[in-house]
Amino acid sequence: METAATPLFKLGPLPVTNSMVTSWVVALALIIVIRFAVRRPKLIPTRAQAVVESLVQGILDLTTPIVGSKVAKPTFPLLVGLFTFILIQNWSGLFPGVGTIYMVDHKTGDWMELVRPGNADLNATLALALVAIAGWFYFIMRYAGPVFVLKDIFGNKADKKEVPAVLYYPLFAIFFLVGIIEVISILFRPISLSLRLFGNIFGGESLMHAMSGMQKWGLPAPFYLLELLIGFVQAFVFTLLVSVYIGLICNHGDEHDEAHEEAAH
């Protein structure tokens, strides 16, 4: 399996790769299937509607304690979208024909993959990470506010009533330096998110190719089960990390609001 995705054709100056085509097909299939499953929600749900509702409720119940009740519903479309899209993209490598159908490049005469899993391309996982971080930035600015965000990152976390003044004020410099380190870690989040997802999916695809090359039947079967598990875990971890990033800021906001309300009463 090649490290880089293969361009199939161009839309103007934009090369369209085999992984992009897979991503578009998966996205279209998700839209059609979910719209068909819940096109007319019923009081007594059908099996398809029950599956979608279980997925929705499960992710909402999981992320609400992490991101905070104030932003649980606003952030839900982003989180459920990321989880569902990444999960199906991860599993797309197990679909018949993905990674096994080849075509001849008429320019070079070499064989190339016609279909490649979307998340086995670093460009795709980086795009997902950038979307996730853009969503994170919007939600913390919208529901916590820039003043609270700056205070949370660079502010003095010590309690002025419990810490002597001789120690309290020098702590501002220490927490400011800690804040700079935190900003650097935030800047690296898209890189870590994208590389973690890409590495696991590309590694799994390479392993499947190697095992299938050794024996077509029997041997790859346990690895299919392993890839199902890895695909689920990676989608879960990606979504959970984005939830944690949002909750690190917005959940403090919930605590701040509750404390303010208690003080008012």
Side-chain angles (χ1 to χ4, degrees):
M1 184 177 184
E2 296 182 2
T3 304
T6 304
L8 300 178
F9 57 91
K10 288 188 176 183
L11 290 176
L14 176 67
V16 176
T17 65
N18 47 8
S19 63
M20 290 173 64
V21 172
T22 307
S23 298
W24 294 345
V25 171
V26 168
L28 182 62
L30 278 173
I31 293 171
I32 294 173
V33 169
I34 293 176
R35 289 296 298 173
F36 179 79
V38 294
R39 53 184 173 178
R40 288 185 179 179
K42 299 179 181 179
L43 184 61
I44 300 177
T46 62
R47 290 183 180 180
Q49 182 182 335
V51 170
V52 174
E53 289 180 354
S54 298
L55 173 66
V56 168
Q57 191 61 47
I59 295 179
L60 183 61
D61 292 342
L62 173 69
T63 57
T64 296
I66 300 173
V67 301
S69 57
K70 183 173 66 175
V71 298
K73 290 185 177 179
T75 59
F76 176 72
L78 171 68
L79 298 176
V80 73
L82 286 172
F83 176 79
T84 309
F85 183 75
I86 292 172
L87 178 65
I88 303 303
Q89 287 282 19
N90 292 350
W91 286 350
S92 67
L94 304 178
F95 297 161
V98 178
T100 58
I101 298 178
Y102 287 80
M103 63 178 292
V104 177
D105 187 343
H106 296 291
K107 293 183 178 179
T108 63
D110 298 329
W111 288 93
M112 62 181 184
E113 287 180 312
L114 180 61
V115 188
R116 177 192 178 103
N119 288 341
D121 181 5
L122 184 57
N123 293 312
T125 59
L126 181 59
L128 284 169
L130 291 175
V131 168
I133 294 302
W136 164 82
F137 183 79
Y138 168 78
F139 287 120
I140 65 171
M141 289 299 172
R142 172 68 176 81
Y143 293 98
V147 174
F148 184 85
V149 171
L150 289 174
K151 184 178 179 182
D152 185 81
I153 296 176
F154 296 103
N156 192 336
K157 312 300 189 299
D159 191 339
K160 190 175 183 179
K161 296 180 180 179
E162 297 181 1
V163 178
V166 67
L167 296 176
Y168 178 77
Y169 291 103
L171 285 175
F172 277 101
I174 296 175
F175 279 110
F176 181 79
L177 293 175
V178 172
I180 293 176
I181 297 174
E182 177 68 15
V183 170
I184 295 173
S185 72
I186 290 172
L187 294 175
F188 273 94
R189 284 176 184 175
I191 300 174
S192 63
L193 284 172
S194 59
L195 287 178
R196 182 186 296 106
L197 181 58
F198 166 74
N200 282 278
I201 302 306
F202 180 79
E205 280 296 305
S206 299
L207 178 63
M208 292 295 295
H209 277 247
M211 293 298 102
S212 298
M214 294 173 60
Q215 183 178 341
K216 295 296 182 183
W217 302 101
L219 184 62
F223 296 96
Y224 270 86
L225 298 176
L226 180 62
E227 284 303 298
L228 284 172
L229 177 61
I230 291 176
F232 174 81
V233 169
Q234 289 306 313
F236 179 79
V237 168
F238 192 103
T239 307
L240 195 63
L241 285 173
V242 177
S243 303
V244 169
Y245 296 155
I246 296 172
L248 286 173
I249 302 293
C250 293
N251 230 347
H252 289 310
D254 283 351
E255 296 170 2
H256 177 76
D257 291 341
E258 290 172 4
H260 181 73
E261 290 176 4
E262 289 176 2
H265 289 303

